[in-house]
Amino acid sequence: MATGFVGRTEDIRAVSRLLRSGRLVTLTGPGGVGKTRLSQRVGEDLVDEFPDGVWFVELADLRDPALIAHAVARTLSIHTTAGIDPRSQLINQLTGRTALIILDNCEHLLDGAELFSTELLGRTESVRVLATSRERLRAPGERIWQVRRFATGSEDAVQLFAQRAALDTIDLPQQIKINDICSRLEGLPLAIELAAARWSPNHDLELPGAGDHTLRSAIQWSFDLCSTAEQILWARLAIFSGGFDFQAAEHVCWDGELDRDQIPGLLESLTEKSIVICENQRYRLLDTVRDYGLDQLSVRREHDVLERRHVGYYRRLAEQFEREWFGPSQLWWMSRMREDLANLRSAMDRAFTEPGYQPSERRIPVLLATYWAYGGGMAEGKHWLGQLAEHPETDPEDRAATLAALCRVASMSGDLDTSFPTAARLVELAGTDVNPTLRAHLTTMAGMAYAIGGRFAESGQLLREAAGQLNSLPDPEPQYWTKSAMMLGVQHIIEEKLAEACGIFERAAAYSNQHGETIMLSYVLIQHAKAKLLLGFTEEAATLAADAAHLSLKANDPMQRGMVTEYLALEAVTQGQPARAALLLGTAASIARAYGVTGTNTENLRPESAMLHAEVRAAMKPADFEEAFRTGAMMTSQQAEAYLSGCVQGV
């Protein structure tokens, strides 16, 4: 169990002063000294000084420095877009903002953390970075604060021990004994916590021998006091990156030596000993404790086998995600993938970089195709999908499906330099001997890329071919059918065949409702609303748009929220409210910026969009338009979402 924060008053004041006078502060010190908790406490104390947020970004589980920007973006709910440098997307979103970003555990990514911090701070004015690391980053303008152990006889050390040992009061003999324990552990907070977890007022603690008071020896002492089964589970839990749940621990850690029925009790026991931390039904190990566990895993010669179990478990989880995504558990699955992203990253990294893995074990990127597209991680998705597509051992049909997923994220994010050539490859692959369901999917994704890119003649031909292919199948894959139908309806809007578009959208919505899914339904509804509005059925259009907006907020899908906001702008200008339309256009720009694009990338999906800005401008004085648009555009993503939510509630 995690303890509350104890003491460090002078440290908090000093670090706060450094952050007020400088823009990059690094907390240094040995493992277990309390750098992470101090950074969090400083962030809590300064939250009122950073109106755009204090953001804590955990880097301990990253192995690739290229993923630092992705991790920061995900923490800030900035959805990265394929084809655009994620650092640039972050900087665009943070320009003009006053925010504090805490980068925790940088020591294994020093060069990457230095590069990221230098570029971020060099291209923004009011962002500050607080880093924790065993070493300094060596970045320009960096201020260093060394976090020290508790001094001998420190009240803070005694208070921490008492808190962890659940002592309500301490008499003088106990205080003397606790002071002696803390002194022998050289005032190292984590070592004190581990010792306190073993406290008994009637028995002396057998601490590490004199002259050997390092954190590692304290952790080893705690390890030695564990039962054999506890030691085995501790070592095996170290294979996880970030948090994990009970089911993951059970599936990865049990075998003939460690019975599955033992794991619940062992987890509880390790939690009571402060080896494992339990928060919101998920577990994690502190970094230093995890490092020791990994060492023990190697001593036991189980590292390779546990890695394979870990990859296997998360591949099966990704397979289940793909099977069940288009259904009533869709939003739960999206949340689950976000929670387990660190473990999924580790599994993908191992499968791509370490020898002996089979092609089936490298399939996680393509299994997460809908997560990359609708979970806001399109740039990271492009990173992993590209690795799978280019791997020489990738199965041909897996490579085709991977290219389809890559084409989707590229086209949805407006990366035409990637989407057009990839679409051409999909057309070629669709003409080869692939299974009929995959052929239809490849054709749909190619058609989508051309539609978004404005190549409407090609998109029309491909989308009609895909619809015909799927409708000829006795049992078409539900997700593929719905995506194909929605895109064909969009093509009909482009061709001004509005009645036909409405019919397609009605069938697609019914299909989504039948399966209980949310995300694709929201896209179908907003396109249906556009068609209805263009036909003059304003009340029906408003109802459809409101339903789409409610679903987009429920699904936490910023791209769809941007589309809903633009629809509301179109609706406002048709109702003679140009000032509201201009404000909504600015709000859409703010949402697009949070999503990682500099403007809307969906304009080609609505024929009148190219004229919308001009129409609103023509209905207002130029200065009035600029003021209203700027008001919306300067909103933070949270403000923009709150404004959109208010608009939706008013419908």
Side-chain angles (χ1 to χ4, degrees):
M1 123 186 358
T3 57
F5 191 83
V6 172
R8 300 281 193 193
T9 303
E10 289 305 316
D11 294 85
I12 295 169
R13 290 173 181 168
V15 174
S16 298
R17 285 196 299 269
L18 289 174
L19 278 169
R20 292 186 182 105
S21 60
R23 298 185 58 207
L24 172 60
V25 177
T26 302
L27 306 182
T28 63
V33 79
K35 300 183 296 294
T36 295
R37 289 188 184 177
L38 176 59
S39 71
Q40 292 172 322
R41 181 55 184 269
V42 169
E44 292 171 5
D45 280 12
L46 296 182
V47 67
D48 291 339
E49 298 182 28
F50 293 95
D52 296 304
V54 173
W55 306 93
F56 183 83
V57 185
E58 173 58 71
L59 302 181
D61 298 311
L62 291 189
R63 299 172 67 176
D64 185 350
L67 295 178
I68 292 175
H70 295 288
V72 177
R74 185 162 300 280
T75 301
L76 272 66
S77 298
I78 296 174
H79 297 255
T80 55
T81 302
I84 304 175
D85 180 6
R87 289 195 301 269
S88 296
Q89 297 178 54
L90 276 167
I91 289 164
N92 287 336
Q93 174 67 1
L94 290 169
T95 298
R97 312 297 184 194
T98 302
L100 174 63
I101 297 175
I102 302 173
L103 300 179
D104 189 44
N105 289 299
C106 299
E107 52 269 0
H108 62 303
L109 300 167
L110 285 174
D111 291 343
E114 183 275 328
L115 178 65
F116 173 82
S117 300
T118 299
E119 186 170 359
L120 174 65
L121 299 179
R123 294 173 58 187
T124 60
E125 295 181 356
S126 300
V127 175
R128 283 169 166 73
V129 172
L130 176 60
T132 75
S133 175
R134 297 180 192 180
E135 301 178 50
R136 58 179 299 178
L137 304 187
R138 302 187 185 281
E142 180 182 20
R143 309 283 187 89
I144 306 299
W145 183 259
Q146 185 174 3
V147 183
R148 301 184 183 278
R149 305 162 188 246
F150 290 134
T152 301
S154 164
E155 281 189 24
D156 289 345
V158 174
Q159 184 181 350
L160 176 63
F161 188 102
Q163 184 186 86
R164 182 60 191 92
L167 299 175
D168 295 328
T169 59
I170 304 174
D171 58 28
L172 184 58
Q174 285 178 329
Q175 183 169 347
I176 293 171
K177 184 179 290 187
I178 291 171
N179 265 323
D180 178 61
I181 292 170
C182 295
S183 177
R184 291 169 62 191
L185 294 172
E186 297 184 340
L188 197 64
L190 180 56
I192 291 170
E193 287 195 58
L194 292 173
R198 298 282 185 177
W199 167 261
S200 171
N202 300 318
H203 298 89
D204 290 333
L205 288 172
E206 297 181 5
L207 297 174
D212 187 15
H213 305 317
T214 63
L215 175 61
R216 184 172 181 82
S217 65
I219 294 176
Q220 181 173 340
W221 165 78
S222 189
F223 183 82
D224 291 341
L225 291 176
C226 289
S227 68
T228 300
E230 289 171 340
Q231 291 176 348
I232 294 171
L233 184 59
W234 177 345
R236 292 179 178 180
L237 291 176
I239 206 68
F240 291 101
S241 296
F244 54 91
D245 60 14
F246 168 74
Q247 288 78 13
E250 184 181 52
H251 282 83
V252 173
C253 298
W254 78 278
D255 60 10
E257 189 175 9
L258 194 65
D259 191 78
R260 178 178 288 184
D261 294 338
Q262 292 179 274
I263 291 179
L266 293 173
L267 267 176
E268 183 177 358
S269 178
L270 290 174
T271 301
E272 291 174 352
K273 294 177 171 67
S274 289
I275 306 303
V276 173
I277 296 172
C278 180
E279 297 169 331
N280 300 320
Q281 297 184 317
R282 286 182 67 82
Y283 301 90
R284 65 182 176 89
L285 303 180
L286 292 174
D287 299 329
T288 45
V289 172
R290 180 176 180 247
D291 289 344
Y292 186 86
L294 288 172
D295 288 345
Q296 293 302 309
L297 205 57
S298 296
V299 169
R300 293 178 53 81
R301 298 183 179 180
E302 289 186 337
H303 196 277
D304 289 347
V305 69
L306 263 293
E307 278 193 344
R308 291 192 172 279
R309 287 187 201 168
H310 181 272
V311 171
Y313 175 78
Y314 284 100
R315 179 194 51 127
R316 292 190 296 274
L317 188 70
E319 288 172 341
Q320 189 177 1
F321 166 79
E322 184 191 44
R323 287 194 305 271
E324 298 182 12
W325 183 83
F326 195 82
S329 300
Q330 183 181 75
L331 300 185
W332 180 87
W333 272 113
M334 294 295 282
S335 176
R336 176 66 188 274
M337 293 300 101
R338 278 191 289 271
E339 286 183 336
D340 271 319
L341 187 57
N343 282 300
L344 291 162
R345 282 175 178 150
S346 293
M348 290 185 287
D349 189 69
R350 287 168 178 149
F352 281 119
T353 61
E354 297 177 11
Y357 284 94
Q358 298 301 309
S360 62
E361 295 172 301
R362 287 189 288 268
R363 299 188 67 241
I364 294 176
V366 71
L367 295 170
L368 298 180
T370 49
Y371 175 76
W372 305 129
Y374 301 112
M378 290 196 284
E380 184 174 355
K382 183 180 177 183
H383 169 84
W384 294 112
L385 291 166
Q387 289 197 46
L388 181 57
E390 294 168 8
H391 198 284
E393 296 180 6
T394 299
D395 175 84
E397 289 207 346
D398 275 346
R399 179 173 285 108
T402 300
L403 288 170
L406 182 61
C407 188
R408 173 190 281 190
V409 298
S411 58
M412 287 178 70
S413 58
D415 178 13
L416 303 186
D417 291 339
T418 300
S419 65
F420 280 168
T422 308
R425 290 184 67 184
L426 296 184
V427 173
E428 292 177 6
L429 290 168
T432 63
D433 187 25
V434 296
N435 74 71
T437 296
L438 179 57
R439 177 178 295 112
H441 180 53
L442 300 179
T443 308
T444 299
M445 291 299 100
M448 174 182 171
Y450 289 135
I452 290 178
R455 293 166 58 170
F456 299 136
E458 292 159 287
S459 65
Q461 177 183 346
L462 290 168
L463 291 169
R464 288 182 173 87
E465 285 181 13
Q469 292 164 358
L470 283 166
N471 288 330
S472 69
L473 297 174
D475 187 22
E477 205 282 334
Q479 181 191 150
Y480 291 175
W481 187 92
T482 305
K483 185 68 175 179
S484 173
M486 185 191 75
M487 289 308 305
L488 183 59
V490 168
Q491 182 70 29
H492 278 71
I493 293 179
I494 292 168
E495 297 170 353
E496 299 185 9
K497 299 176 181 178
L498 302 176
E500 292 93 331
C502 288
I504 292 172
F505 292 138
E506 286 171 4
R507 292 194 295 276
Y511 203 56
S512 285
N513 279 316
Q514 175 186 336
H515 285 82
E517 73 90 31
T518 299
I519 293 174
M520 293 187 71
L521 176 60
S522 69
Y523 283 83
V524 169
L525 292 177
I526 199 61
Q527 299 294 350
H528 196 182
K530 293 174 187 176
K532 285 290 187 181
L533 186 64
L534 292 170
L535 283 168
F537 299 115
T538 55
E539 291 186 6
E540 292 180 51
T543 299
L544 289 165
D547 290 345
H550 286 299
L551 291 176
S552 74
L553 292 169
K554 182 179 178 182
N556 191 29
D557 183 347
M559 185 174 186
Q560 172 66 340
R561 290 198 291 273
M563 295 176 70
V564 169
T565 307
E566 284 200 338
Y567 168 84
L568 293 173
L570 174 65
E571 181 184 66
V573 77
T574 61
Q575 295 174 349
Q577 303 173 27
R580 181 169 180 265
L583 178 61
L584 284 161
L585 288 175
T587 306
S590 172
I591 292 173
R593 185 174 62 247
Y595 194 66
V597 294
T598 55
T600 176
N601 63 330
T602 57
E603 290 182 1
N604 288 315
L605 300 188
R606 178 160 49 83
E608 74 284 356
S609 181
M611 301 171 58
L612 182 56
H613 280 72
E615 185 176 353
V616 176
R617 283 179 182 275
M620 304 175 67
K621 293 179 180 179
D624 293 342
F625 173 86
E626 295 297 339
E627 182 180 356
F629 183 89
R630 185 164 51 256
T631 299
M634 290 304 295
M635 291 182 186
T636 64
S637 57
Q638 293 87 351
Q639 290 169 334
E641 291 173 16
Y643 177 67
L644 174 60
S645 180
C647 291
V648 170
Q649 291 172 2
V651 175

